[in-house]
Amino acid sequence: METTTKALKEWNVAVNALEAGETIMLLRKGGIREQNNRFTVEHNRVLLYPTFEHQKPDLLKSEYASQVEPVPSRWHPETVKISSFAEITDILPVKERSIVSKLFPYHIWNEEFVSDRLQFKPSQPLFVLLLKTYKLPQISEITYRPEYGGCRSWIDLATQLDISKISPILSEEEYCKQVAEISQFCS
């Protein structure tokens, strides 16, 4: 049995889109508590940990905005449902607005969000992460712990989760096709 505790925190709406095969892309600049205040990929094989606190409908494309219920600052569920695992296959740093504009059809965020991310810490690139996402054989409900909170991308869960019988969301052919389409803009 293969297990892991390594997890990447991401908006619940983004995790849902990855699990539905609607996107393979995440955009990152890094949270306040990132090492050296810079985003780095600490693990390329991770559980997807859904977060709710910073989701804002007005930063999403209209088809995703309706899926978000805003919650108060510092709110978190008592238990968190972990239902997917991902391999981060590509990390593409982007600094040019023209490239970011070409990537618009491939992610869930609106122009305002992407523009804000690009302008935040302008000397640092916006990282395009391409994830091959897998469904776990069963949803695991884990108890929220204070160390899972805060503005950080990476957490280490207190519970080992089984990743030995995961199933890919997209076929290898479809995933590679999307990677090729996206990568052409970033090279």
Side-chain angles (χ1 to χ4, degrees):
M1 177 167 73
E2 185 180 3
T3 63
T4 190
T5 60
K6 306 301 180 199
L8 171 63
K9 292 174 60 176
E10 184 54 74
W11 289 4
N12 183 64
V13 67
V15 171
N16 290 342
L18 288 164
E19 289 179 352
E22 295 167 0
T23 187
I24 64 167
M25 181 188 297
L26 295 179
L27 302 173
R28 294 305 262 240
K29 263 285 176 106
I32 294 167
R33 294 189 187 173
E34 301 293 349
Q35 187 175 11
N36 300 323
N37 288 326
R38 299 180 73 100
F39 177 77
T40 57
V41 174
E42 293 183 12
H43 312 284
N44 63 357
R45 293 172 43 87
V46 292
L47 297 160
L48 296 176
Y49 182 98
T51 63
F52 300 86
E53 181 180 359
H54 297 296
Q55 295 187 118
K56 293 185 178 144
D58 58 326
L59 297 178
L60 296 161
K61 292 177 182 172
S62 60
E63 61 267 35
Y64 295 98
S66 63
Q67 298 175 27
V68 173
E69 271 189 55
V71 298
S73 182
R74 301 194 198 295
W75 181 89
H76 56 78
E78 290 182 26
T79 59
V80 178
K81 292 180 181 180
I82 307 288
S83 54
S84 53
F85 173 81
E87 294 175 335
I88 300 170
T89 63
D90 297 83
I91 305 159
L92 309 167
V94 175
K95 281 189 167 185
E96 297 174 34
R97 182 174 300 282
S98 63
I99 293 172
V100 172
S101 295
K102 291 175 185 172
L103 298 174
F104 190 73
Y106 298 97
H107 59 74
I108 67 169
W109 296 280
N110 66 20
E111 292 283 353
E112 178 185 352
F113 174 86
V114 177
S115 178
D116 287 351
R117 290 285 81 201
L118 201 55
Q119 291 174 23
F120 176 69
K121 298 181 182 178
S123 64
Q124 296 179 22
L126 177 66
F127 291 96
V128 175
L129 305 182
L130 303 184
L131 288 78
K132 184 164 187 183
T133 305
Y134 301 82
K135 288 295 275 179
L136 295 176
Q138 64 185 32
I139 296 171
S140 294
E141 285 196 41
I142 61 168
T143 302
Y144 175 82
R145 298 168 64 108
E147 60 265 29
Y148 300 162
C151 295
R152 73 182 98 233
S153 298
W154 310 100
I155 57 173
D156 213 353
L157 301 179
T159 307
Q160 294 269 347
L161 296 185
D162 182 5
I163 57 168
S164 56
K165 294 183 178 149
I166 55 177
S167 348
I169 301 297
L170 300 175
S171 69
E172 186 68 21
E173 181 181 339
E174 179 58 30
Y175 183 74
C176 289
K177 177 181 173 248
Q178 288 189 40
V179 168
E181 287 176 14
I182 293 166
S183 297
Q184 74 178 332
F185 301 120
C186 300
S187 54

